[in-house]
Amino acid sequence: MKLKLNQSLAALLFSASVFTACAPVAEQTLSVTPVPMEVNWQRGSFRPDASTSLWIEAPEADRSILAEYLQASPLALKLADSQSGNQVVLKQTDALEGITSPEGYVLSVNSDGVRIEALSGAGLFYGVQTLLQMAADAPEGMTAVTVKDEPRFEYRGIMLDVSRHFRSKEFVKRQIDLLSYYKINRLHLHLTDAAGWRIEIKKYPRLTQFAAWRPQAVWKDWWNGKREYCEETDPRAQGGYYTQDDIRELVAYAQKHYVTIIPEIEMPSHSEEVLTAYPELSCTHVPYKQSDFCIGNEKTFEFLENVLIEVMELFPSEYIHIGGDEAGKASWPNCKLCQARMKKEGLKDVNELQSYSIHRMERFLNSHGRKLLGWDEILDGGLAPNATVMSWRGTEGGLAAIRSGHKAIMSPGQYCYLDGYQDAPYSQPEAIGGYLPLKKVYGYEPVPDSLSADEAKLMYGVQANLWTEYIPTEEHAEYMLYPRAIALAEVAWSKPENKSWEDFHRRALKIVDELKAKGYHPFELKNEIGNRKEAETPVEHLALGKKVTYNAPYWENYPAAGEATLTDGLRGGWNYNDQLWQGFVTKDRVDVVIDLEKETPIHSVAADFMQICGPEVFMPERVVISVSNDGKEFTQLAEIKHEVVRDDAVTFKNFGWEGEASARYIRYQALASDKFGGVLFTDEIVVK
């Protein structure tokens, strides 16, 4: 970010009697990420050298952490016996002008050294990160400057899914090193899911003897196969788990980086691995048949509470994440125990039964001094009184929580799901789908104008998530994380008015090179291809802005621009999550009529479709294009047949007619394959 000296001060310095001593400060660039709140340049400079020492005034716990950290940093500072010049001074104080957050700091560089003041050890730590970045950017010496800085949000998080593909504790530590450098302060570990249980629970050894292991190393092979687990002693066993000592080690390591690890233990669904190891906790008591716990069974709550007791002993975090998402509830309506629970508690449907389970677990956590955190499905059937919502299905869940007086963490898939493609899919390793380039992550604004000032205070923060179904290796995980996680760090820390995409992109290019030098495996940003070329420029054509009648409705989950979508001139990008592709799921899929308003000579009618088989998005099997002058009797111009084949690619295909015709009305029909079904997505019907 470029910041210029105040013009009046520059004029004053220019008029001073000794020009060479009082020349105005030249325009400077501070290459710090996340961009700080306020920067004021001064005269002079400072260059740390071998004689530069460290002086810390802080409580002993923070003093010890910071001294150890700086001694091991590239500055290699040693603690001094007394305070003097040529020092880096860290001082924890009770008040700082203009700083309201305990994580804020003031950093000053002058010819005598560096001084960082903060209200807490965390604030000093973040000031140190800024210092380290400044020193790395100016090896010949840092220009004198004062930086006043504090975070926009208290919660600044990254989620690592270690269930689908287990990650070593060394990998987790490496990410803590890097994420804390960019002032991320929460690491959410997704420890349990169908693909594997990843934490030792001493009371239930089968969770790690059996439910942590599968015959296939790669999730996709396991998912497309029999989805079976195996004994740890099986020669085929793939997977792993963290022992309780591993967890203690990770928590301690994170604390030295002022990062809080938040564990997620899935309930009441995504629990196939548990219900195969302990089938008596399901509604049917049959292994490999259930993903939802039996909410009518008291043994379910005995199990969950016992697990959480051990989890809370390991993790000191204020919040415990309980998942709460995507419960199928398939067996609950027919389970005698679940129905008896509903009758006893006066619950009218299975949504309220899920809400009962969430409320009950929240009371248990609250009784142990903890708070419940869950995905936005915990709103279904009524939100638990003290729960915080993590909003992933868009932003409405988080906003609903805020408007009801609850805190929310925004994590919408459209901006925060780092498992999607970050560049043209054909140029990238296979991903789950989506298209989330760096610029889109950076452009996310978590607080809409619709929130009042008081409601905005309940916006606890933001989080990006790395789900790992299609990310089998640690190198691939880093490739998907960086630099997008760093863009999220700036969204979470920096005020919107201080952000600049052009400046961040410049810094991100440099950061990628720095990460590679440190042994990380980031996406090579300088080679970015960008969005689908069709999406870059609106298209002019005869049907532009013309009325479209839907004989079959579009899917309300993916409406794009509603009835204007297919003739608004806007083409879709690499994925349907850009809100430019319109989805169709009814039996007739696409069946629309365009009114050109008058009989018009036409030479072509065409539309693009996409195929991404993972989320069940397929090409049409048959397209029919017809025309009419009265809107009643149609003449068929073309019938295009296509063999739909399931594959791993992201592909696009244009289905159209070319020739000579004259018509007022154009009917475009696209039908799905009987074999695969799925969703059809199209963006524009182009008529020329």
Side-chain angles (χ1 to χ4, degrees):
M1 184 174 70
K2 296 180 181 295
L3 297 120
K4 297 182 179 179
L5 184 72
N6 181 279
Q7 290 182 350
S8 61
L9 177 58
L12 177 64
L13 290 172
F14 187 85
S15 64
S17 58
V18 184
F19 173 78
T20 56
C22 302
V25 178
E27 181 179 321
Q28 301 286 329
T29 299
L30 187 67
S31 188
V32 170
T33 305
V35 63
M37 179 173 66
E38 182 180 320
V39 178
N40 293 292
W41 296 102
Q42 312 294 332
R43 292 170 50 250
S45 65
F46 175 72
R47 180 183 180 183
D49 57 30
S51 66
T52 304
S53 60
L54 175 65
W55 180 260
I56 304 176
E57 296 180 30
E60 181 54 36
D62 293 309
R63 185 174 185 273
S64 176
I65 289 172
L66 294 164
E68 179 182 347
Y69 188 86
L70 274 165
Q71 286 167 355
S73 77
L75 293 179
L77 299 176
K78 295 182 180 180
L79 276 171
D81 295 328
S82 61
Q83 190 171 351
S84 62
N86 192 23
Q87 279 188 332
V88 172
V89 175
L90 309 183
K91 182 178 180 179
Q92 188 168 326
T93 185
D94 293 332
L96 278 174
E97 183 180 354
I99 299 297
T100 59
S101 167
E103 295 179 301
Y105 64 91
V106 175
L107 180 154
S108 300
V109 177
N110 59 38
S111 57
D112 290 330
V114 178
R115 184 179 182 87
I116 301 174
E117 294 185 284
L119 305 179
S120 70
L124 292 175
F125 180 81
Y126 295 128
V128 166
Q129 306 316 306
T130 295
L131 170 63
L132 291 174
Q133 292 187 39
M134 291 170 59
D137 191 55
E140 299 305 313
M142 296 176 285
T143 302
V145 69
T146 299
V147 178
K148 185 179 291 185
D149 198 13
E150 65 180 4
R152 183 183 185 195
F153 295 114
E154 184 177 344
Y155 187 108
R156 306 179 299 280
I158 296 292
M159 187 281 291
L160 293 180
D161 170 17
V162 296
S163 170
R164 274 56 177 262
H165 288 101
F166 180 65
R167 306 296 183 212
S168 68
K169 65 181 178 183
E170 290 74 20
F171 173 85
V172 176
K173 287 180 179 180
R174 278 173 50 79
Q175 309 323 307
I176 291 171
D177 290 341
L178 187 54
L179 294 170
S180 63
Y181 186 68
Y182 294 105
K183 303 182 176 73
I184 290 291
N185 67 351
R186 300 291 195 280
L187 178 61
H188 167 185
L189 288 182
H190 184 73
L191 291 164
T192 73
D193 211 303
W197 182 280
R198 306 301 182 198
I199 179 172
E200 178 187 18
I201 302 297
K202 293 187 182 297
K203 195 173 185 66
Y204 299 102
R206 292 293 290 162
L207 294 173
T208 45
Q209 293 170 351
F210 176 71
W213 307 94
R214 62 194 188 215
Q216 298 85 7
V218 176
W219 175 89
K220 183 179 174 183
D221 296 337
W222 174 80
W223 185 259
N224 292 334
K226 296 181 179 179
R227 302 184 194 176
E228 292 180 339
Y229 309 99
C230 64
E231 299 293 339
E232 182 177 7
T233 55
D234 191 316
R236 303 171 301 160
Q238 303 285 338
Y241 62 91
Y242 303 109
T243 67
Q244 295 200 354
D245 284 342
D246 289 337
I247 294 295
R248 294 184 186 97
E249 183 179 336
L250 285 173
V251 167
Y253 192 84
Q255 288 173 332
K256 289 185 177 181
H257 293 73
Y258 295 89
V259 169
T260 299
I261 299 182
I262 296 176
E264 179 179 355
I265 306 297
E266 282 274 14
M267 61 186 82
S269 194
H270 284 281
S271 299
E272 289 93 331
E273 84 287 22
V274 178
L275 301 177
T276 300
Y278 295 96
E280 66 272 19
L281 302 178
S282 72
C283 293
T284 63
H285 296 194
V286 178
Y288 294 109
K289 295 295 185 183
Q290 301 282 292
S291 63
D292 302 335
F293 283 100
C294 177
I295 305 304
N297 189 346
E298 273 303 303
K299 289 184 177 180
T300 289
F301 293 97
E302 178 185 334
F303 170 86
L304 293 173
E305 290 176 4
N306 285 334
V307 167
L308 290 180
I309 285 172
E310 293 194 35
V311 168
M312 288 186 288
E313 289 173 349
L314 295 167
F315 294 94
S317 56
E318 177 186 18
Y319 283 96
I320 303 295
H321 204 302
I322 55 83
D325 60 311
E326 297 181 326
K329 312 178 181 77
S331 293
W332 294 355
N334 302 312
C335 171
K336 292 181 179 179
L337 290 176
C338 287
Q339 290 302 302
R341 176 82 72 190
M342 290 175 64
K343 183 177 181 180
K344 178 182 178 182
E345 301 292 339
L347 308 175
K348 66 182 181 182
D349 57 29
V350 291
N351 286 334
E352 290 194 359
L353 183 61
Q354 171 165 328
S355 182
Y356 163 85
S357 71
I358 302 298
H359 282 237
R360 182 164 171 176
M361 297 316 300
E362 185 196 44
R363 289 194 298 272
F364 176 75
L365 290 171
N366 291 168
S367 70
H368 287 77
R370 306 300 182 91
K371 295 180 180 178
L372 183 146
L373 180 58
W375 303 108
D376 54 59
E377 283 95 332
I378 66 173
L379 289 160
D380 298 346
L383 185 58
N386 302 308
T388 294
V389 168
M390 189 169 277
S391 190
W392 74 279
R393 297 178 299 177
T395 60
E396 284 307 309
L399 298 179
I402 285 172
R403 290 176 179 130
S404 65
H406 293 260
K407 286 183 179 180
I409 298 162
M410 298 308 250
S411 191
Q414 185 180 358
Y415 296 96
C416 297
Y417 269 42
L418 305 186
D419 54 336
Y421 291 101
Q422 58 193 316
D423 201 3
Y426 66 80
S427 70
Q428 299 297 297
E430 183 183 7
I432 198 167
Y435 173 56
L436 182 56
L438 184 67
K439 186 175 184 178
K440 189 167 185 177
V441 178
Y442 189 76
Y444 177 48
E445 172 46 51
V447 183
D449 293 338
S450 60
L451 290 183
S452 68
D454 286 339
E455 288 173 335
K457 293 176 182 177
L458 292 172
M459 188 68 75
Y460 193 29
V462 293
Q463 177 172 292
N465 304 316
L466 186 67
W467 303 101
T468 63
E469 289 95 329
Y470 290 84
I471 305 175
T473 68
E474 295 184 344
E475 293 78 11
H476 190 184
E478 290 181 349
Y479 182 87
M480 302 300 277
L481 278 169
Y482 308 117
R484 290 185 294 182
I486 298 168
L488 188 281
E490 187 147 309
V491 170
W493 181 279
S494 303
K495 290 180 169 54
E497 60 268 25
N498 290 335
K499 292 171 56 189
S500 159
W501 162 246
E502 291 74 17
D503 179 61
F504 177 77
H505 187 260
R506 174 188 61 79
R507 284 182 277 127
L509 287 168
K510 183 179 178 183
I511 286 169
V512 166
D513 289 337
E514 292 171 351
L515 295 186
K516 290 193 297 182
K518 294 176 180 178
Y520 291 89
H521 302 82
F523 167 67
E524 191 62 85
L525 183 61
K526 67 183 179 183
N527 296 332
E528 183 177 20
I529 295 167
N531 203 358
R532 185 168 171 258
K533 62 181 179 61
E534 289 84 353
E536 295 176 355
T537 306
V539 58
E540 295 280 345
H541 61 103
L542 294 176
L544 186 65
K546 297 300 190 286
K547 180 181 178 181
V548 178
T549 299
Y550 287 77
N551 296 327
Y554 53 80
W555 190 16
E556 61 182 11
N557 287 13
Y558 288 93
E563 294 185 359
T565 300
L566 301 182
T567 57
D568 63 3
L570 302 179
R571 307 295 299 279
W574 292 122
N575 192 263
Y576 50 83
N577 66 0
D578 63 5
Q579 299 181 7
L580 295 173
W581 293 91
Q582 193 167 63
F584 296 85
V585 293
T586 64
K587 178 179 179 295
D588 294 329
R589 295 303 195 274
V590 182
D591 185 356
V592 297
V593 175
I594 301 171
D595 182 0
L596 297 178
E597 298 175 353
K598 63 181 180 180
E599 185 176 346
T600 305
I602 58 175
H603 305 287
S604 69
V605 179
D608 283 353
F609 290 81
M610 68 168 63
Q611 180 160 304
I612 312 172
C613 297
E616 300 296 316
V617 177
F618 289 97
M619 295 289 183
E621 185 176 62
R622 187 165 65 97
V623 169
V624 178
I625 300 170
S626 309
V627 294
S628 170
N629 280 319
D630 61 8
K632 298 177 182 178
E633 298 294 328
F634 282 83
T635 301
Q636 182 174 302
L637 296 180
E639 180 180 17
I640 306 157
K641 295 181 179 180
H642 173 70
E643 182 181 0
V644 181
V645 178
R646 181 182 286 274
D647 56 28
D648 295 332
V650 176
T651 53
F652 300 83
K653 183 175 174 61
N654 186 267
F655 292 82
W657 160 86
E658 290 185 354
E660 300 293 332
S662 181
R664 173 177 175 175
Y665 298 95
I666 299 171
R667 185 179 185 185
Y668 194 102
Q669 297 167 273
L671 300 174
S673 159
D674 291 334
K675 181 177 180 181
F676 296 111
V679 190
L680 296 187
F681 276 100
T682 189
D683 59 344
E684 186 85 356
I685 299 175
V686 178
V687 180
K688 294 184 178 180

